[in-house]
Amino acid sequence: MSSLGLKRLTSKIEGFQQQQFLLKTVRAGLIPDLSTWFIDGCFPVLLQERSLLLRKWYDLMIQNKDDLAKIITAESGKPLKEAQGEILYSALFLEWFSEEARRIYGDIIYTSAKDKRGLVLKQPVGVAAIITPWNFPSAMITRKVGAALAAGCTVVVKPAEDTPYSALALAQLANQAGIPAGVYNVIPCSRNKAKEVGEVLCTDPLVSKISFTGSTATGKILLHHAANSVKRVSMELGGLAPFIVFDSANVDQAVAGAMASKFRNAGQTCVCSNRFLVQRGIHDSFVTKFAEAMKKSLRVGNGFEEGTTQGPLINEKAVEKVEKQVNDAVAKGATVVTGGKRHQSGGNFFEPTLLSNVTRDMLCITEETFGPLAPVIKFDKEEEAVAIANAAEVGLAGYFYSQDPAQIWRVAEQLEVGMVGVNEGLISSVECPFGGVKQSGLGREGSKYGIDEYLEVKYVCYGGL
Ligand code: ADP
């Protein structure tokens, strides 16, 4: 950590006064080379430079990957192995967008008027305010910032109060990569200042774009802020992912997928399975094998210890939420198959928990858990499972296991979500579009679509031909 000079960085940037100062510099146009960075992609040299800078940033992340992973584990509790995985995933967004930077194309359009041509230019939207959560302290930043910088935008990042260090470490590396000062700005703040800082960032006239990942409730507040000056927005909000196992599924594959999609980051990801729907014929075998796999392969403990697969939850509030959902389910008739209470280690640790005999009225089915709790509902018919899956205001990820090709097409098309895992529990990759429908958000990140969120389409009617 010391090699990244984190102490120096944090003491420099902490405090609201400093945040105000940073914003003033942005307002005063002190972002160096702002005009250069705002020029669209028709200057090949500048474009290549942007691409190379992102690539250098990626290289530095890889060179410092061990330190960066330790920072994630220290600030979030995530097991070190998962933190190492996050750093690779995070760095890959910089690499991906260093390549995408060179593929920002316009169009030439022929209309019925002989003396005119339509040109479509793609131009950077401008300064982007980026507000990120604690569950992926590094990757949620690069997924947005990689796209923004590739498009030619500058960014002001407000990381989550629980995990500011990864954002600051990225700043240090951006600096080393030669990314001009003022292009990647970080404004950490405490929870009680988040509202105030968020409001300034999301209403400042110089900011053209807001990109947020976090809860649906906070997303709605930011959408209100954006409305006044009609800013562009990308929102990656909460989920309530269904995980459906049909009778035709390979039960071992389904259990492996359930383990991966439920227990990554101790259940604290927005694409974690939240509701397990299992068809009657396969139900008992799935529940038995799922419980065995949980007991055999999950180990709760300190994220720095070898063999730990489940770290603590992020804070006491998160533990209370899981506890409340378990108690509510048990009071309404659910059966605890394994786990069910706070872990004996104390602190913010919770036992990986499997519940059966779950019904649709229980809190664990109606609200996002963000913890290591897997509730199982038994169903009879495909239509019933799809109806339960779609009975949610949100729609981020959905998973199902089936070996029936016709059923696979039907269900993949019918699920009201932005991302579907078919016989697969881990779906995120930098090459594929990440995002949700309904109240899970607006826009897509990663993939060839991610850069569009930071580009304006300008139509030029070229007449007099
Ligand atoms: P969680 O409850 O899991 O922390 P949030 O959606 O509240 O999820 O937090 C995600 C990010 O949004 C964090 O960076 C947090 O500081 C920020 N945030 C929370 N409330 C506000 C707000 N009113 N305005 C701006 N940012 C906020």
Side-chain angles (χ1 to χ4, degrees):
M1 270 188 225
S2 58
S3 64
L4 293 166
L6 277 181
K7 270 203 180 135
R8 190 170 50 80
L9 262 172
T10 40
S11 61
K12 257 180 128 180
I13 308 182
E14 236 161 30
F16 192 58
Q17 272 184 346
Q18 184 70 23
Q19 292 142 21
Q20 288 295 329
F21 167 75
L22 273 175
L23 276 173
K24 270 187 202 141
T25 63
V26 174
R27 286 205 195 94
L30 295 180
I31 294 174
D33 296 334
L34 193 67
S35 55
T36 312
W37 281 72
F38 274 23
I39 289 171
D40 83 336
C42 54
F43 288 88
V45 175
L46 291 177
L47 231 176
Q48 192 190 22
E49 225 171 273
R50 286 207 299 265
S51 168
L52 286 174
L53 288 171
L54 281 168
R55 175 73 208 199
K56 273 193 205 157
W57 202 6
Y58 161 79
D59 289 339
L60 285 166
M61 278 194 79
I62 298 299
Q63 279 166 32
N64 289 281
K65 64 181 174 13
D66 292 335
D67 274 355
L68 293 170
K70 283 180 197 158
I71 292 171
I72 291 181
T73 299
E75 65 184 348
S76 77
K78 184 179 286 195
L80 192 56
K81 208 162 157 225
E82 276 194 41
Q84 287 160 344
E86 179 182 341
I87 289 302
L88 285 183
Y89 178 57
S90 175
L92 283 174
F93 282 110
L94 299 182
E95 187 200 40
W96 172 259
F97 284 113
S98 76
E99 293 159 356
E100 287 301 286
R102 302 174 79 164
R103 296 190 194 97
I104 301 169
Y105 304 122
D107 282 309
I108 298 173
I109 302 171
Y110 291 84
T111 67
S112 48
K114 283 197 181 126
D115 60 341
K116 293 181 195 169
R117 299 286 181 270
L119 308 181
V120 175
L121 310 183
K122 300 273 184 76
Q123 296 182 313
V125 294
V127 178
I130 288 180
I131 300 181
T132 55
W134 48 263
N135 62 341
F136 287 90
S138 180
M140 291 306 97
I141 293 176
T142 55
R143 190 157 78 179
K144 298 171 188 301
V145 170
L149 266 57
C153 300
T154 58
V155 297
V156 185
V157 177
K158 193 209 85 57
E161 54 280 358
D162 289 308
T163 57
Y165 296 104
S166 293
L168 295 168
L170 280 170
Q172 180 77 353
L173 296 179
N175 200 19
Q176 280 179 30
I179 291 175
V183 169
Y184 171 83
N185 305 282
V186 183
I187 303 183
C189 70
S190 60
R191 184 67 176 193
N192 56 13
K193 290 280 183 203
K195 193 166 168 249
E196 214 172 327
V197 172
E199 188 169 344
V200 175
L201 282 179
C202 297
T203 54
D204 193 295
L206 200 81
V207 172
S208 312
K209 159 91 194 177
I210 301 167
S211 180
F212 171 72
T213 295
S215 63
T216 300
T218 302
K220 287 179 184 176
I221 294 172
L222 302 187
L223 279 169
H224 275 287
H225 290 329
N228 219 13
S229 51
V230 193
K231 296 193 195 308
R232 290 271 301 268
V233 288
S234 301
M235 296 273 146
E236 203 266 273
L237 309 176
L240 200 66
F243 186 106
I244 310 172
V245 186
F246 290 106
D247 280 346
S248 72
N250 174 318
V251 71
D252 294 319
Q253 260 183 23
V255 168
M259 291 294 293
S261 86
K262 177 70 249 183
F263 294 108
R264 200 159 56 108
N265 202 14
Q268 302 173 108
T269 86
C270 48
V271 292
C272 272
S273 296
N274 210 92
R275 302 171 288 160
F276 287 83
L277 314 175
V278 186
Q279 204 160 9
R280 187 171 298 274
I282 200 170
H283 176 274
D284 293 354
S285 145
F286 176 82
V287 169
T288 306
K289 290 189 169 196
F290 194 12
E292 278 166 12
M294 285 170 63
K295 285 180 206 152
K296 194 171 142 213
S297 54
L298 298 180
R299 214 182 103 195
V300 177
N302 182 328
F304 283 109
E305 270 167 25
E306 184 80 24
T308 293
T309 63
Q310 304 282 287
L313 301 191
I314 192 71
N315 50 37
E316 168 63 21
K317 216 173 104 201
V319 182
E320 281 168 12
K321 187 174 189 191
V322 183
E323 199 169 37
K324 185 172 164 206
Q325 288 194 358
V326 172
N327 293 341
D328 167 78
V330 171
K332 290 176 181 157
T335 308
V336 177
V337 182
T338 181
K341 55 186 188 309
R342 287 172 188 252
H343 193 264
Q344 60 192 24
S345 309
N348 296 331
F349 294 98
F350 201 91
E351 292 178 349
T353 299
L354 179 61
L355 300 179
S356 64
N357 294 319
V358 170
T359 49
R360 295 173 65 177
D361 56 331
M362 296 175 184
L363 283 179
C364 56
I365 297 301
T366 56
E367 61 174 38
E368 194 175 22
T369 305
F370 244 67
L373 166 61
V376 180
I377 293 183
K378 196 189 286 181
F379 72 89
D380 287 299
K381 293 210 162 68
E382 179 185 306
E383 307 82 78
E384 193 187 339
V386 171
I388 299 172
N390 289 343
E393 286 179 339
V394 292
L396 191 59
Y399 309 84
F400 67 93
Y401 279 69
S402 165
Q403 300 289 331
D404 172 350
Q407 181 175 56
I408 289 174
W409 274 111
R410 269 195 312 273
V411 176
E413 286 184 0
Q414 286 168 6
L415 285 181
E416 294 169 3
V417 294
M419 297 170 283
V420 182
V422 180
N423 296 322
E424 180 54 61
L426 290 179
I427 55 176
S428 305
S429 80
V430 298
E431 298 85 358
C432 299
F434 193 104
V437 300
K438 297 159 98 177
Q439 293 190 27
S440 283
L442 300 164
R444 292 294 177 272
E445 295 191 323
S447 78
K448 68 174 182 175
Y449 305 103
I451 203 163
D452 292 340
E453 304 288 330
Y454 298 89
L455 291 167
E456 291 288 8
V457 169
K458 182 187 276 177
Y459 160 55
V460 178
C461 182
Y462 196 144
L465 300 178

